[in-house]
Amino acid sequence: MPRTWWLRDLFFLALFIAVLIGAWWAIEYAATIWPVMRYYNRILVIMGINITLAVSLNIINGHAGQFSLGHAGFMAVGAYSAAFLTVYYFGPYVEKMPEGSTQQVVWQNVLLVVAVLAGALTSAIAGYIVGLPSLRLRGDYLAIVTLGFGEIIRVMILNIDKIGAARGLTGIPPWNNFFWVFFFCGLTILISHRLVQSSVGRAFLAIREDQIAAESMGVDTTRYKVKAFIIGSCLAGAAGALFAHYSPAYLNPTMFTFIRSFEVVAMVVLGGLGSISGSIVAAIILTFLPEGLRAVKDYMPGGRDPRMVIYSIMLIVLMLTRPQGLFGRKELWEFLPRRKDKIPKEKRDEGGDQLDRDAGPPVT
Amino acid sequence: MQELLQNLLNGIAAGSIYALIALGYTMVYGILKLINFAHGDVFMIGSFVGFYAGGWFSKQLHGATGGSSPASAAVVLLLSMIVCGALGYLNERVAYRPLRNAPRIASLITAIGISFLLEYGGQFVFGPDPKFFPTLIEKHLINIGGVVTTNYQLIVLGVAIVFMAILQYIVYGTKFGRAMRAVSFNFETASLMGIPTDRVISTTFVIGSMLAAVAGILFGLAYPKIDPLMGVMPGLKAFVSAVLGGIGNVPGAVVGGLLIGVIEAFVGGSRFSNYRDAIAFVILIVILLFRPSGLFGKYQPEKV
Amino acid sequence: MKRNVLVAITCALALAFLGCPPKNAETPNATTTGGDGEILVGEYGSLTGNQATFGTSTHNAIMLAVDEINGAGGVNGRKIKVQTEDDQSKAEEAANAVTKLIAQNNVVAVLGEVASSSSIAAAPICQNNKIPMITPSSTNPAVTKKGDYIFRMCFLDDYQGASMARYLRQTLGIKNVAILIDNKSDYSTGLAKYFGDAFTAMGGTIVGTQSFTSGDSDFRAQLTAIRTTKPELIYIPAYYNDVGQIAIQARDLGMNMPLAGGDGWESPKLIEIGGKALEGCFYSNHYFFGDTNPIVRNFVEKYKQRYSATPDALAALAYDAARVLADAMKRAGGKTDGPTLREAIAATKGFAGVTGTINLGPDRNPEGKTLVIVEVKGGELTLKAKVEPEGAPAATGTATTTTTGTTGTQ
């Protein structure tokens, strides 16, 4: 790498932020002309949160090959811890400042980021706690145990009065907006992408392929599985915190049931376990689909919502016909035409995945 | 003391329903190493069949005002068993058999998919509001020294025991049962020995589903409110029961079910009643941490 | 192979986006003030999901009211059109539904919801967009605190709990009560707390508190624990779904004391589920369908005629909400912009509703509403008593079972 590698990264970061701010302002402006943009803005923000969730779950389920069904629990932990901070400490602090002043705006954003990071941290701790017992468990058992943890977290929240219990937590200052959601979304994608290419990611992939072989090769499966849980839950917690601070800024334990976990699982599975771009595309599809289905239900008998029925049928058909999902383990850019002369003949094969791309002679 | 006995009785009655469902889980897992997520929903379908059939029979046999008799109850039970058996068979053929050689994740996701399909499809078809199970048998209150119960609880216990005994006989006393045990011990070798593994697997699913149907009818009798999502919690708790007893172990599932029922009864009336739903999961996690083979299971090392 | 995948993705995306263009997209800058166009009112409710019956009742009543109003010439010559969105009994969907109604359909006001958590989720959106929202049946105090554009038709839980406590202590002279709470429902936990506090303040004793989770089937454990405390009555501020079962199981355990509850019991299915076990049990409610008040009778008959069912309290409240809204629009003289409409609604006083006279106070909640106690007797719902607000003069405009006076017509 050139000695000033960080300049390149900084440039891209600045570019990314600039693009985001541009998009954000464009949407805000458009919303003043076409009120319907407010609705689309909301859908886009929800999409951003879903992408973050899907990509974070993909790290656990896709890259590390562990089957976690309790992701909503991590989201809840992040959401509630961040909201707790803002409702009881940050909010009142900011309230005292002159309304609308630069000082207030700056502090709002700074404290929002702090809250999101705090949520992510708490979730990471939760991920550690959940990850520990998962060490010894295999696929199906792990699934049920993570489901159980998700439910336990939800029941615990239901019984803590300080954060609203069954009433839900209100009074969360809605400091979140398009910019922050997509900033963290981009950050998540970046982390996930860099992670899978790092040695930690290689360890994940090894564990996914064959845990026992990896163990015999000297990979400390224990440590890496827990790491996967920690990172995945950390990012999910960030997503949860962002969700909590976006209008209507209201949290209720019913928002974090197994159904929510299942929706995220559906996104990751649809996109392809192990594919980051797959998770992104699937998250986009599965965010717009329910909104699109709103129109359909008027034609259903009794006006009933067929969304969950369609989800389940889709999953079953998917598993029976194309279990690897949309992209399998590959990424979107691997489908685009590449300059053929750069790739030696032996490696120009269909089934190549990330492990082979940069390596030396193919392993027989 | 009275409270203790009352809770014990309540717990055993509820637990026997869990036990019936758990048997289905444990048998399928023993043979296929697959957690049939959709099993709890087969239980739900059993209840609904009972609801619709029971309502119809009530009207046919006793006129518009309905009524009940043990005969009609037995017919409803049989009908429910047939329907659920067929459902279990379909399930296996359409969704699990094609995926037998696919990675485990695929079958797991398919199982979840079928579970959701039954639940939300049920909501779609039957309507999301709860239905009131018809009275199949007259209710009588029975007072045994301060512990009050109804004949329902005793019927639940009795019927459950009868079916468990039948299953026990099938698995340990018949040739077919031997085939089932062989397949669960080692799939490849069993097929090499000439056992029709496909048929054994299908029949296992059918038997498990029939037991779930019985559980569904008994549940409808004891707790008349039924709705399409009713199978979720009992299904999960039955799974925990199966794990507690040692998954793959038939008597273990029964013991596990009764234990879970009793524990829930005692927790429910205590200070911790808020956490009753979470208790089953806590038990599961504790078991898997400290004794993953369950109470009666044997430790099975993973062969490479 | 690669191409097929790309094609598949594009198709999927296209399909998803196809659903998006709104069915009734308004042109940009469309306004609904003035002109001869229809007045668009939004409704969000639980038409599917586990509170579907609540949403359906509410929806039916709103449509009944709107059709009546339109039939009588509408509001200043303009007809009201209702755009309904389903929130699947979920709080976050409520937020989405309301955003869509406001941003995409350009409604001038919003009606909904029954569940307080959904109302709480939707209120900030209405408030920020200066669109008035009237909740017909959310009883949690937090709802109207969300902003001055949020209004409510029903009494609050603190009032409900305290009134029931007063009735039990002073009228029935009951001293020892046990409470059974649905800990998954904010309605239940809130009402239980208000009742408990008031009851103890009036000298009563809460001998035991147990809780369950709605959707549970077996309540015997909790009931057994309550049995040992020997209460005179058990207060169960939960929904009808669970109450029926609880009653049956209580009787199965040999517990024969009466049970009491709140407006969550109100449903045509209550007796169907609970049957004989509910004999002699009662609950507080917003209205009683057998009330001889002509306004009530009129409403009940029309509802029966159209929907072949007896309207429950939710329907009654929704009917009132829709009519109060229309009345406010009339008073605003045809102007439907947010601030003007808000003023008009806030000024609602002496409105003769099915659920009593509606006077909206400065906190946008109705003041001095009468609590109706409905009892299950002989397998039917009967009126047991009416509890007036403490210290209030005899209510005007709401008839008791003996008088037939009314104020105003509608």
Side-chain angles (χ1 to χ4, degrees):
Chain A
M1 276 204 249
R3 229 177 306 156
T4 50
W5 60 270
W6 45 270
L7 261 182
R8 191 190 72 165
D9 279 354
L10 211 59
F11 169 69
F12 278 115
L13 181 67
L15 187 64
F16 176 58
I17 292 182
V19 166
L20 267 191
I21 293 184
W24 178 38
W25 282 350
I27 292 188
E28 290 290 320
Y29 178 65
T32 56
I33 310 183
W34 296 303
V36 77
M37 278 312 288
R38 263 175 279 155
Y39 173 57
Y40 286 128
N41 188 6
R42 192 184 171 72
I43 305 282
L44 284 174
V45 166
I46 293 178
M47 181 186 87
I49 294 177
N50 282 342
I51 294 178
T52 315
L53 283 170
V55 171
S56 64
L57 185 63
N58 188 42
I59 297 177
I60 303 177
N61 285 18
H63 292 147
Q66 306 303 300
F67 206 63
S68 166
L69 285 180
H71 220 55
F74 298 135
M75 187 187 173
V77 169
Y80 272 95
S81 25
F84 176 77
L85 278 176
T86 44
V87 169
Y88 290 111
Y89 300 105
F90 295 164
Y93 180 66
V94 167
E95 287 287 302
K96 298 203 190 81
M97 298 180 193
E99 185 75 28
S101 66
T102 333
Q103 184 198 24
Q104 197 187 48
V105 171
V106 164
W107 272 105
Q108 268 184 9
N109 283 300
V110 165
L111 289 177
L112 175 69
V113 174
V114 171
V116 170
L117 290 176
L121 182 63
T122 337
S123 272
I125 298 176
Y128 179 67
I129 299 176
V130 171
L132 273 183
S134 81
L135 301 178
R136 311 168 58 170
L137 300 173
R138 254 185 332 158
D140 327 21
Y141 284 127
L142 180 62
I144 300 259
V145 164
T146 47
L147 195 163
F149 268 115
E151 284 295 294
I152 291 177
I153 290 176
R154 190 183 58 85
V155 171
M156 278 173 62
I157 293 177
L158 200 61
N159 286 294
I160 301 177
D161 203 62
K162 193 93 167 116
I163 51 177
R167 283 185 320 278
L169 187 57
T170 61
I172 307 174
W175 291 340
N176 195 12
N177 52 43
F178 181 90
F179 173 75
W180 285 119
V181 166
F182 279 97
F183 179 76
F184 279 100
C185 180
L187 199 62
T188 305
I189 298 176
L190 181 70
I191 292 177
S192 178
H193 182 62
R194 288 288 175 88
L195 184 71
V196 81
Q197 290 178 327
S198 72
S199 60
V200 176
R202 298 302 162 95
F204 286 167
L205 296 173
I207 296 176
R208 173 181 78 189
E209 296 302 324
D210 191 331
Q211 188 170 330
I212 297 177
E215 184 84 44
S216 6
M217 284 290 122
V219 173
D220 187 346
T221 53
T222 319
R223 224 181 87 197
Y224 284 106
K225 287 207 294 194
V226 175
K227 250 194 206 164
F229 263 93
I230 293 177
I231 299 176
S233 61
C234 175
L235 297 169
L242 290 167
F243 172 74
H245 289 85
Y246 186 68
S247 169
Y250 169 66
L251 287 180
N252 191 304
T254 57
M255 296 170 172
F256 301 107
T257 61
F258 168 57
I259 309 261
R260 192 96 178 91
S261 296
F262 180 65
E263 286 173 2
V264 185
V265 168
M267 289 176 203
V268 176
V269 169
L270 174 63
L273 282 168
S275 164
I276 299 176
S277 41
S279 303
I280 299 174
V281 170
I284 296 177
I285 297 178
L286 290 182
T287 307
F288 282 100
L289 200 59
E291 293 300 315
L293 282 179
R294 255 186 220 278
V296 171
K297 73 167 161 56
D298 287 340
Y299 301 113
M300 292 285 135
R304 292 180 187 151
D305 178 22
R307 185 170 65 127
M308 286 309 286
V309 179
I310 294 183
Y311 263 44
S312 15
I313 295 181
M314 172 193 88
L315 265 180
I316 298 174
V317 168
L318 196 63
M319 283 298 112
L320 289 175
T321 56
R322 197 185 157 81
Q324 68 266 42
L326 281 173
F327 291 148
R329 288 177 177 172
K330 303 194 274 189
E331 303 290 344
L332 183 58
W333 47 87
E334 295 179 44
F335 288 107
L336 301 174
R338 296 215 293 247
R339 288 180 53 188
K340 290 282 189 342
D341 54 339
K342 274 209 169 172
I343 309 172
K345 239 199 167 125
E346 316 87 63
K347 283 203 271 167
R348 209 188 307 161
D349 53 86
E350 253 283 343
D353 63 12
Q354 283 171 306
L355 272 175
D356 290 332
R357 198 143 51 96
D358 305 319
V363 177
T364 43
Chain B
M1 187 56 186
Q2 188 187 61
E3 193 182 342
L4 192 100
L5 284 176
Q6 182 78 62
N7 273 332
L8 205 62
L9 181 60
N10 293 340
I12 293 182
S16 41
I17 296 185
Y18 290 149
L20 282 172
I21 308 176
L23 283 169
Y25 273 116
T26 212
M27 288 198 300
V28 167
Y29 190 86
I31 294 204
L32 277 184
K33 303 283 178 286
L34 162 79
I35 299 179
N36 184 6
F37 258 101
H39 193 60
D41 303 293
V42 173
F43 155 78
M44 177 269 290
I45 297 281
S47 266
F48 269 86
V49 170
F51 169 72
Y52 285 111
W56 188 80
F57 269 110
S58 251
K59 290 205 170 44
Q60 293 300 312
L61 297 179
H62 305 277
T65 50
S68 54
S69 70
S72 61
V75 172
V76 168
L77 185 65
L78 213 62
L79 194 63
S80 179
M81 284 170 71
I82 295 175
V83 171
C84 286
L87 181 63
Y89 178 75
L90 254 169
N91 208 359
E92 198 268 326
R93 282 308 299 272
V94 169
Y96 298 143
R97 191 177 294 189
L99 291 175
R100 217 174 281 169
N101 294 318
R104 188 71 60 74
I105 298 273
S107 348
L108 196 59
I109 295 177
T110 311
I112 298 179
I114 297 192
S115 167
F116 272 48
L117 182 64
L118 285 173
E119 284 164 21
Y120 291 96
Q123 266 202 346
F124 200 75
V125 169
F126 305 134
D129 40 311
K131 310 238 183 298
F132 182 49
F133 206 78
T135 322
L136 293 176
I137 302 180
E138 289 298 322
K139 187 199 282 203
H140 305 288
L141 239 61
I142 304 173
N143 196 319
I144 314 172
V147 172
V148 186
T149 180
T150 63
N151 57 338
Y152 281 179
Q153 281 189 316
L154 299 177
I155 291 177
V156 166
L157 263 171
V159 173
I161 292 178
V162 165
F163 276 98
M164 287 186 230
I166 295 178
L167 181 71
Q168 184 76 356
Y169 171 70
I170 293 180
V171 173
Y172 289 101
T174 65
K175 199 162 96 171
F176 185 79
R178 209 157 359 133
M180 282 170 74
R181 279 181 285 143
V183 172
S184 77
F185 194 74
N186 191 319
F187 191 87
E188 284 89 12
T189 315
S191 67
L192 287 174
M193 289 288 126
I195 294 178
T197 47
D198 279 350
R199 200 138 43 101
V200 169
I201 292 175
S202 294
T203 318
T204 311
F205 264 88
V206 169
I207 296 179
S209 304
M210 282 185 166
L211 288 173
V214 175
I217 300 288
L218 289 176
F219 188 92
L221 190 70
Y223 312 107
K225 187 187 79 167
I226 64 171
D227 73 277
L229 293 179
M230 67 189 271
V232 178
M233 279 323 262
L236 279 168
K237 288 175 188 172
F239 174 72
V240 175
S241 311
V243 171
L244 177 59
I247 196 137
N249 185 306
V250 169
V254 175
V255 171
L258 293 175
L259 260 174
I260 296 273
V262 170
I263 293 177
E264 274 198 343
F266 279 103
V267 169
S270 73
R271 264 185 323 119
F272 297 106
S273 54
N274 282 353
Y275 294 92
R276 208 167 80 152
D277 267 355
I279 283 289
F281 290 114
V282 171
I283 295 177
L284 177 72
I285 292 169
V286 165
I287 289 279
L288 288 177
L289 276 183
F290 296 108
R291 204 188 150 84
S293 49
L295 290 173
F296 298 109
K298 338 190 263 296
Y299 174 63
Q300 293 197 303
E302 201 174 330
K303 299 224 180 81
V304 228
Chain C
M1 167 63 192
K2 291 181 192 172
R3 201 170 35 129
N4 288 343
V5 175
L6 269 177
V7 168
I9 298 166
T10 332
C11 282
L13 276 170
L15 208 67
F17 275 96
L18 255 178
C20 256
K23 255 200 326 189
N24 48 355
E26 305 274 321
T27 58
N29 297 322
T31 58
T32 43
T33 55
D36 286 297
E38 291 174 324
I39 307 180
L40 214 49
V41 167
E43 177 205 355
Y44 69 105
S46 314
L47 298 173
T48 58
N50 45 359
Q51 282 153 28
T53 50
F54 294 162
T56 317
S57 277
T58 310
H59 177 70
N60 285 348
I62 291 179
M63 297 316 291
L64 181 66
V66 167
D67 287 346
E68 248 176 48
I69 295 169
N70 285 343
V75 172
N76 300 335
R78 293 167 67 192
K79 298 227 190 294
I80 303 181
K81 183 162 172 339
V82 178
Q83 174 69 26
T84 313
E85 286 296 326
D86 176 21
D87 63 14
Q88 300 164 28
S89 310
K90 289 189 201 157
E92 44 186 1
E93 287 298 320
N96 286 341
V98 164
T99 308
K100 180 174 176 296
L101 286 171
I102 295 179
Q104 207 174 41
N105 302 109
N106 287 316
V107 298
V108 303
V110 171
L111 291 170
E113 227 252 27
V114 174
S116 297
S117 43
S118 296
S119 296
I120 291 178
I125 300 181
C126 295
Q127 180 68 24
N128 290 339
N129 287 294
K130 298 207 184 340
I131 300 282
M133 172 177 126
I134 304 184
T135 167
S137 339
S138 287
T139 45
N140 191 313
V143 175
T144 36
K145 294 201 180 125
K146 287 286 166 193
D148 58 356
Y149 276 79
I150 316 298
F151 300 89
R152 176 195 328 246
M153 284 292 106
C154 57
F155 51 60
L156 277 66
D157 280 337
D158 49 7
Y159 178 75
Q160 192 178 183
S163 300
M164 179 58 105
R166 198 158 29 96
Y167 180 71
L168 290 181
R169 274 305 286 144
Q170 292 170 1
T171 316
L172 296 182
I174 293 182
K175 194 154 181 340
N176 299 321
V177 168
I179 308 184
L180 187 53
I181 309 174
D182 171 4
N183 75 343
K184 199 161 117 178
S185 150
D186 41 352
Y187 160 77
S188 186
T189 46
L191 190 49
K193 180 173 170 313
Y194 295 125
F195 170 80
D197 291 347
F199 194 71
T200 352
M202 291 182 206
T205 324
I206 307 290
V207 295
T209 313
Q210 288 289 324
S211 59
F212 64 93
T213 308
S214 71
D216 269 359
S217 324
D218 195 313
F219 309 95
R220 276 178 241 261
Q222 291 91 334
L223 288 168
T224 309
I226 288 181
R227 193 172 68 177
T228 56
T229 60
K230 300 203 208 308
E232 291 169 64
L233 172 145
I234 311 180
Y235 185 60
I236 313 178
Y239 291 109
Y240 66 92
N241 271 339
D242 301 312
V243 167
Q245 293 248 77
I246 296 175
I248 295 177
Q249 288 175 16
R251 307 312 181 210
D252 282 353
L253 285 171
M255 295 162 78
N256 291 314
M257 68 285 284
L259 311 171
D263 62 335
W265 286 34
E266 167 81 338
S267 163
K269 294 214 164 173
L270 180 70
I271 299 188
E272 197 186 307
I273 301 178
K276 291 200 290 262
L278 285 171
E279 194 68 20
C281 302
F282 53 93
Y283 59 98
S284 52
N285 201 6
H286 306 272
Y287 101 125
F288 178 61
F289 64 84
D291 203 326
T292 50
N293 181 328
I295 304 180
V296 176
R297 268 218 308 251
N298 197 11
F299 165 65
V300 172
E301 259 165 45
K302 277 202 249 186
Y303 192 95
K304 270 198 189 149
Q305 220 175 29
R306 180 159 165 171
Y307 298 111
S308 316
T310 313
D312 56 15
L314 299 175
L317 287 165
Y319 187 74
D320 280 348
R323 293 187 336 157
V324 163
L325 182 62
D327 180 69
M329 283 183 199
K330 281 205 190 110
R331 276 183 280 121
K335 290 217 212 43
T336 49
D337 61 290
T340 322
L341 194 49
R342 193 212 84 80
E343 291 298 323
I345 300 177
T348 305
K349 292 256 185 298
F351 184 89
V354 177
T355 57
T357 312
I358 300 179
N359 299 306
L360 289 182
D363 56 354
R364 297 171 303 287
N365 297 319
E367 289 177 334
K369 277 197 126 186
T370 312
L371 199 85
V372 172
I373 307 272
V374 178
E375 181 185 12
V376 179
K377 229 200 283 198
E380 309 251 313
L381 294 175
T382 58
L383 180 65
K384 189 175 168 82
K386 281 196 184 183
V387 179
E388 301 295 339
E390 204 159 23
T396 52
T398 52
T400 61
T401 44
T402 46
T403 67
T404 52
T406 58
T407 55
T409 50
Q410 180 50 287

